[in-house]
Structures are given as structure tokens and as C-alpha cells.
Amino acid sequence: MFQVASYETYEDGQEIFKEGTYGDWIYLIDEGAVEIFKTVDDQKVVVGVLPEGEILGELAYIAKIPRTASARAVGHTVIGIIDRNFFDQEFNKLSADFQKMIKMVAVRLKNATETICRSKINAD
Amino acid sequence: MFQVASYETYEDGQEIFKEGTYGDWIYLIDEGAVEIFKTVDDQKVVVGVLPEGEILGELAYIAKIPRTASARAVGHTVIGIIDRNFFDQEFNKLSADFQKMIKMVAVRLKNATETICRSKINAD
């Protein structure tokens, strides 16, 4: 469904992007699956495994923040890189209010994910 | 910062909206604070208390889903109702892809909040 500019292939365990780095491409899982994980207090915490059809990397794009988690391929995985020109044009046309609203949602998701990861560590 | 169409005043404890109901107005906290809470397994779980300047109700608007939590005033609270005509025009102009992206973020925030609420109950 998403307009994809190009495709990349990853093998099991290969890193797609790393938490804390700068980069704001948005990816679509075309084939395979992607594990999203964070490092909290030096411990790896899995946020979830996204299946085919899901997108990743959208928080950094929307909120203009560093990658909030790391992503790695689970098995042989094909990732579509979503056409950014198209998204940028749309994003830049949005009013400051609308941009602020979707950024707030993105930041709330980032915070909620951190809360979940911390509680997972504390439960261990 | 947000364009407000009208204002409503709530006294301490008054309900602004209720989880599960249909309604997609977006609110801005102009004065006071708002408690966001969910009912999980018949127990009230507080998601958080939003201060002045924060928005609420945006998930139902973005994802076109029922209210994902209840909201009530904490102390004397003034709520601005964000001008929907303006937001609707913007939302409807977005491509299906872009709409899908922000809906995915909203649904992920809904799911993350549910996970947090469930873990709070289990911790009791």
C-alpha cells in the first residue's frame, strides 16, 4: 500500500537501524519480520516483533528525534524504503498545529514504550 | 498555540469524555489539569495527569476509534475545543499512506497504554 522508493534485503539478526542514531527514513516490512528493541540500563528489552505490512522508523520522522529503538531483521527480511519526497511534501504542508498534534502522539508513544521497557526490566 | 473554537469550564472531578464512547473532538488544556484513566478488569487505572498546554482526545480523532480512555478535570479546569474544520481539511488532504502512518502511531500508542495499564493492575 505504501509507495516504496527502493528495497533492501536483510538476513537474520542484521541491524536495520540503531537506537540513538540520527536517521529518519521510514521502512515498510515487505517480507519477513523486524524485532524492535531498546537498551535500558545496559539490558536489551524487546519492544515487539513487527510482521509483514507494518512500518517502522516513523517516530524519528514525525517527531524529528533520534531513533527511539533499534531494529533488526528476524529471518530473511525484505524492507521497502518509503518514498520520502512524497511524505516530506505532505508533512511540510501541514499547519504548525497539526504537526504539533502528531508530534505529541509520537512523543507519547516513545514515552509509553520506555515505561513498558523499564517495567519489563523491573519485573525480572 | 492551537486554534481554539470555544472554551468549556469543568470543576474538579467532572467528566470531559468517557472511555468507549464515540466522539472525536480534540481538546487543549488551557488552565488546570486533566486526569486520563482507563477501566481494566473493572479497576480504574490512571494513565497520567496532563498539565496545561497538553492536548487530549487526539487518538479517537486520528485513528477514528472510540475514546481509548476517560478524561476528568483535576481542580478548576478550562478546556479549549480545537477548531475541527481546520483539522478536518488538513486530514482529508493527506494521502492514504500518510493517514495510514499516523493512524498506526495512534493505534500503537493505544496498545502501549493498554499494556501499561494491565501491568499496573498486575503489580497490585
Side-chain angles (χ1 to χ4, degrees):
Chain A
M1 185 178 179
F2 285 98
Q3 289 207 336
V4 165
S6 62
Y7 289 90
E8 286 178 354
T9 301
Y10 293 86
E11 298 310 325
D12 186 49
Q14 261 195 300
E15 182 179 282
I16 300 165
F17 56 73
K18 193 175 159 70
E19 184 179 356
T21 59
Y22 287 84
D24 59 357
W25 293 98
I26 307 164
Y27 304 89
L28 172 71
I29 306 169
D30 186 62
E31 198 190 311
V34 174
E35 183 189 70
I36 305 292
F37 62 100
K38 283 178 71 66
T39 302
V40 182
D41 298 340
D42 293 329
Q43 289 179 68
K44 177 186 165 182
V45 187
V46 176
V47 173
V49 176
L50 299 175
E52 209 176 290
E54 289 276 331
I55 57 166
L56 57 143
E58 77 292 346
L59 289 195
Y61 178 77
I62 294 172
K64 315 293 181 209
I65 52 179
R67 293 297 185 194
T68 59
S70 300
R72 67 183 196 98
V74 179
H76 176 81
T77 297
V78 180
I79 299 290
I81 299 171
I82 293 176
D83 188 344
R84 269 284 297 279
N85 292 331
F86 190 60
F87 264 34
D88 283 347
Q89 277 174 27
E90 292 200 275
F91 194 89
N92 294 333
K93 264 189 277 183
L94 290 170
S95 69
D97 277 7
F98 203 99
Q99 284 187 12
K100 195 179 171 191
M101 176 182 70
I102 59 175
K103 280 181 188 177
M104 270 191 176
V105 176
V107 169
R108 284 177 186 174
L109 176 54
K110 171 182 176 283
N111 293 339
T113 303
E114 274 164 16
T115 300
I116 292 170
C117 289
R118 290 204 170 274
S119 75
K120 277 186 186 172
I121 279 188
N122 292 333
D124 286 344
Chain B
M1 184 179 180
F2 285 98
Q3 289 207 336
V4 166
S6 62
Y7 290 91
E8 287 178 353
T9 301
Y10 293 86
E11 298 310 325
D12 186 49
Q14 261 195 300
E15 182 180 283
I16 301 165
F17 56 74
K18 194 176 160 68
E19 183 179 357
T21 60
Y22 287 84
D24 59 358
W25 294 97
I26 307 165
Y27 304 89
L28 171 71
I29 305 170
D30 187 62
E31 198 190 309
V34 175
E35 183 188 70
I36 305 292
F37 63 100
K38 283 178 71 69
T39 303
V40 183
D41 297 341
D42 293 328
Q43 288 181 67
K44 177 186 166 183
V45 187
V46 175
V47 174
V49 177
L50 298 175
E52 209 177 290
E54 289 276 332
I55 57 168
L56 56 143
E58 78 291 346
L59 290 196
Y61 178 76
I62 294 172
K64 316 292 180 208
I65 52 180
R67 294 296 185 196
T68 58
S70 299
R72 67 182 197 98
V74 179
H76 176 81
T77 297
V78 180
I79 299 290
I81 298 171
I82 293 176
D83 188 342
R84 269 283 298 278
N85 292 331
F86 190 60
F87 264 34
D88 284 347
Q89 277 173 28
E90 292 200 275
F91 194 88
N92 294 333
K93 263 189 277 183
L94 289 170
S95 68
D97 277 6
F98 203 99
Q99 284 187 12
K100 194 179 171 192
M101 177 182 68
I102 61 176
K103 280 181 188 176
M104 270 191 175
V105 175
V107 169
R108 284 176 186 176
L109 175 56
K110 170 182 177 283
N111 293 340
T113 303
E114 275 165 13
T115 300
I116 291 171
C117 289
R118 290 204 170 273
S119 75
K120 277 185 185 171
I121 280 187
N122 292 334
D124 287 343

